[in-house]
Amino acid sequence: MLQQAFNGLVGGSFYALLALGLAVIFGMLGVVNLAHGAFYMLGAFGAFIALDAFGLNFWVALVLVPLLLGVAGAVLERLFVRRLTPLDPLYNFLFTFGLALILQDLVRREYGVNSQPYPRPPELAGTVDLGLFTYPAYQVFVLAVSALMCVAVWVVLTRTRVGMIVRAATERPELTRALGIDVGRWVTPVFGFGIALAAFAGVLAAPMRAVNPLMGADLIITVFAVVVIGGLGSVFGSVAAGFAVGLVSALGNLYVPALSQITVFILMAAVLLWRPAGLFGREEAYR
Amino acid sequence: MLRVDGLSAWYGEAQALREVSMRVDEGEIVTLVGRNGAGKTTLLRCLMGLHGTYGRTMGTISVSGVDVTGLPPHARARRGLGYVPDDRGIYATLSVEENLMLAPVVKSGGGPEPWPLERVYETFPHLRERRRSPGTTLSGGEQQMLVLARVLRTGARLLLCDEPTEGLSPLFVQRIGEILREVREAGTTVLLVEQNVHFAASVADRHYLLAEGRIVESLDRDQVREREHQLLEYLGI
Ligand SMILES: Nc1ncnc2c1ncn2[C@@H]1O[C@H](COP(=O)(O)OP(=O)(O)OP(=O)(O)O)[C@@H](O)[C@H]1O
Ligand SMILES: [Mg+2]
């Protein structure tokens, strides 16, 4: 039971990292990035390719791959997303959705649908004695580093001037411009950062999840449910909901295995009935 | 200081401003009065460069002799326009102090001295007490003080205030009058949208009357005093 709960939190780490990126992007740009799962997948493949083709180990990949994909995300924002945001939100919806399909198929053409093997970093190959049970060291690492990452983002958002600008631009983009802040200049790095977080989660996933072109598509549906549960655009909400959903689905899996695939959605429906704007969402619509 | 020539603005097909031309000289307080829907808010938003998301505009706007018509809102703010929106525009996700510190100080000198945070807190002690609370937890009057303090801290040269006294108790209205006179002394220019004719007459040097998107009259202080009743009737108050 405790062990299952721990599994849930580890799974929740991935939800939290992905939901965090989605929330920041949605908040600042008002764009629902449907390609987020694809960038998670690219992160995992990036780690695989780095090792396979360039002999770069996990630790290098963990830094390098999110960096490169983050830059790619920033370029994407500059070239495409930015042009579409003034139009109907549907355009960015379709654009990111199409992009996800293209990225998936490009990877599939190169590597097929089978999962690629990716070894655990040797430093984290063993197990850790957690007192009540022993647990694979790598999983403990994933949980710790994800939690740390979420805390770091939280600190930046709440304690720095950059974070203040992001919060202000999320709440009232037009007014923030009228107060003398070039919101557009911040949009590109924020988008890139959100993508980098997805890629970071992808690299973390490579040693413990099957690395295949569809891994992102499978995960992202749940992540959207997580974002809705946490409250669209609420950064704190999406992280909390990420870990909570991981926990609930793992425990659900234990007690009612028949429902394991849909516990998240039951949870989402229940939360929405109770609080239509999500747990930490604000009631009023975004401007 | 501010010069507007032939400014027109549309919401889709509906025209909200019709060739508005006006000017505000340095150190003046000028009010813009007009009925609900006359286009006062639209005019201020055009001056700030915020109308673009709603529809087309035409005409030119210049500030201190520089044409700012093509500039985005943040560039206008950096040139000294300080915007006080009609809904106050306090951020719920920012603390009182962050609300104050968000807007950067206006660049290039020549204008009024930016208020240091310490002066803001001395003038509005209540804001200091509540500096860590979310901005929207302040009372309506305190929120209006916060919004004024926010633009004063930037050293804005021309304040564009959209009905700052709306819904406030007489005490706060009086306070706003004092602050406006005080900042005028320091060299700040103010364009004030106001429904409260009495208040407008008490602070402003000149008045423009806006009706259906047109400037229909330009009045000085004495004319407004003489015609206060007629104006009130016209405004339907
Ligand atoms: N977002 C909008 N979309 C369409 N029309 C609008 C919009 N905002 C204002 N209008 C129209 O433009 C005209 C001018 O509105 P505006 O808000 O500028 O008036 P106002 O003088 O500020 O009124 P009030 O005293 O009520 O604040 C009105 O006819 C209004 O119906
Ligand atoms: Mg108005």
Side-chain angles (χ1 to χ4, degrees):
Chain A
M1 152 80 191
L2 260 179
Q3 185 155 0
Q4 195 67 15
F6 210 78
N7 286 341
L9 286 178
V10 172
S13 305
F14 295 103
Y15 299 147
L17 286 175
L18 286 169
L20 179 57
L22 271 181
V24 179
I25 290 176
F26 179 79
M28 191 90 176
L29 288 81
V31 169
V32 178
N33 178 25
L34 292 174
H36 214 65
F39 280 99
Y40 163 80
M41 178 273 293
L42 285 183
F45 266 92
F48 170 74
I49 294 166
L51 186 64
D52 196 51
F54 302 101
L56 298 173
N57 70 24
F58 173 80
W59 303 104
V60 178
L62 192 61
V63 175
L64 204 59
V65 171
L67 225 67
L68 289 177
L69 285 171
V71 170
V75 171
L76 204 68
E77 195 280 331
R78 264 283 142 98
L79 291 184
F80 301 103
V81 177
R82 168 160 307 215
R83 283 161 216 264
L84 299 175
T85 13
L87 309 175
D88 195 295
L90 203 56
Y91 284 94
N92 260 319
F93 223 74
L94 290 174
F95 170 69
T96 54
F97 185 60
L99 182 69
L101 294 181
I102 291 170
L103 292 175
Q104 258 170 41
D105 277 1
L106 283 178
V107 174
R108 173 149 56 189
R109 214 182 67 171
E110 210 55 38
Y111 297 96
V113 289
N114 291 333
S115 295
Q116 306 293 330
Y118 191 89
R120 287 183 179 198
E123 296 84 352
L124 296 171
T127 57
V128 180
D129 189 354
L130 292 178
L132 295 164
F133 53 92
T134 61
Y135 208 77
Y138 184 74
Q139 264 82 339
V140 175
F141 167 74
V142 166
L143 181 57
V145 84
S146 309
L148 209 68
M149 189 58 113
C150 294
V151 170
V153 173
W154 180 247
V155 168
V156 168
L157 276 175
T158 53
R159 298 271 184 280
T160 66
R161 174 145 185 99
V162 177
M164 180 165 110
I165 289 173
V166 170
R167 273 178 292 144
T170 297
E171 190 178 334
R172 299 280 301 268
E174 283 287 276
L175 175 65
T176 308
R177 277 148 53 86
L179 292 178
I181 290 161
D182 185 357
V183 172
R185 212 185 65 194
W186 294 96
V187 161
T188 308
V190 165
F191 191 86
F193 177 73
I195 298 289
L197 273 181
F200 184 77
V203 178
L204 281 181
M208 58 178 282
R209 297 266 170 92
V211 179
N212 68 59
L214 291 177
M215 63 189 286
D218 293 343
L219 192 68
I220 204 67
I221 311 274
T222 309
V223 173
F224 278 120
V226 166
V227 171
V228 171
I229 290 172
L232 265 187
S234 161
V235 166
F236 181 75
S238 39
V239 170
F243 285 108
V245 162
L247 202 61
V248 168
S249 43
L251 296 180
N253 206 0
L254 187 65
Y255 293 115
V256 257
L259 293 182
S260 67
Q261 298 294 315
I262 57 168
T263 26
V264 185
F265 300 101
I266 296 175
L267 188 66
M268 176 171 91
V271 166
L272 287 187
L273 282 175
W274 172 45
R275 287 186 68 120
L279 286 181
F280 298 92
R282 278 171 298 133
E283 295 287 335
E284 79 264 52
Y286 275 85
R287 303 172 160 251
Chain B
M1 178 85 228
L2 172 72
R3 212 191 151 84
V4 179
D5 280 302
L7 182 67
S8 298
W10 287 261
Y11 290 96
E13 291 302 305
Q15 190 167 1
L17 292 180
R18 297 165 194 274
E19 309 212 2
V20 169
S21 297
M22 61 181 290
R23 46 166 252 283
V24 181
D25 292 333
E26 186 131 16
E28 270 192 313
I29 298 183
V30 171
T31 59
L32 201 59
V33 280
R35 288 184 188 176
N36 289 338
K40 307 179 297 290
T41 296
T42 307
L43 178 54
L44 287 205
R45 293 179 55 88
C46 284
L47 297 181
M48 215 48 237
L50 291 171
H51 190 74
T53 46
Y54 296 107
R56 240 155 30 90
T57 58
M58 267 174 57
T60 57
I61 300 161
S62 63
V63 177
S64 307
V66 181
D67 187 350
V68 300
T69 316
L71 293 183
H74 65 89
R76 299 186 192 200
R78 297 276 171 116
R79 288 182 171 274
L81 295 196
Y83 183 47
V84 174
D86 53 353
D87 62 355
R88 300 199 179 115
I90 303 274
Y91 295 88
T93 50
L94 268 58
S95 69
V96 167
E97 186 155 308
E98 286 175 326
N99 267 285
L100 281 170
M101 299 302 289
L102 178 69
V105 169
V106 171
K107 56 179 181 191
S108 66
E113 280 297 305
W115 286 30
L117 196 58
E118 211 27 59
R119 176 165 178 205
V120 169
Y121 283 151
E122 269 160 32
T123 313
F124 310 105
H126 196 70
L127 296 184
R128 189 205 303 271
E129 282 164 34
R130 303 292 303 279
R131 66 183 186 277
R132 307 229 177 279
S133 322
T136 42
T137 58
L138 296 175
S139 73
E142 297 292 349
Q143 287 191 22
Q144 195 62 59
M145 298 298 132
L146 175 55
V147 181
L148 281 172
R150 174 168 76 188
V151 286
L152 296 179
R153 203 201 61 85
T154 66
R157 272 171 251 170
L158 170 60
L159 306 188
L160 304 173
C161 303
D162 201 343
E163 303 201 37
T165 61
E166 196 195 5
L168 296 189
S169 67
L171 213 64
F172 274 114
V173 174
Q174 192 192 339
R175 189 88 180 83
I176 289 175
E178 286 164 18
I179 294 166
L180 292 182
R181 279 186 287 262
E182 182 183 336
V183 301
R184 192 234 320 258
E185 290 307 307
T188 311
T189 309
V190 182
L191 177 59
L192 178 71
V193 165
E194 200 45 76
Q195 299 265 39
N196 182 340
V197 176
H198 188 71
F199 175 71
S202 73
V203 293
D205 304 302
R206 283 194 301 120
H207 311 265
Y208 283 108
L209 187 58
L210 194 70
E212 291 171 15
R214 279 194 187 83
I215 300 257
V216 290
E217 257 181 298
S218 164
L219 306 164
D220 65 25
R221 193 191 289 219
D222 298 333
Q223 286 169 310
V224 164
R225 289 243 165 83
E226 283 161 24
R227 294 175 50 190
E228 195 173 321
H229 281 295
Q230 190 194 342
L231 281 173
L232 284 176
E233 213 163 285
Y234 170 78
L235 291 173
I237 304 168

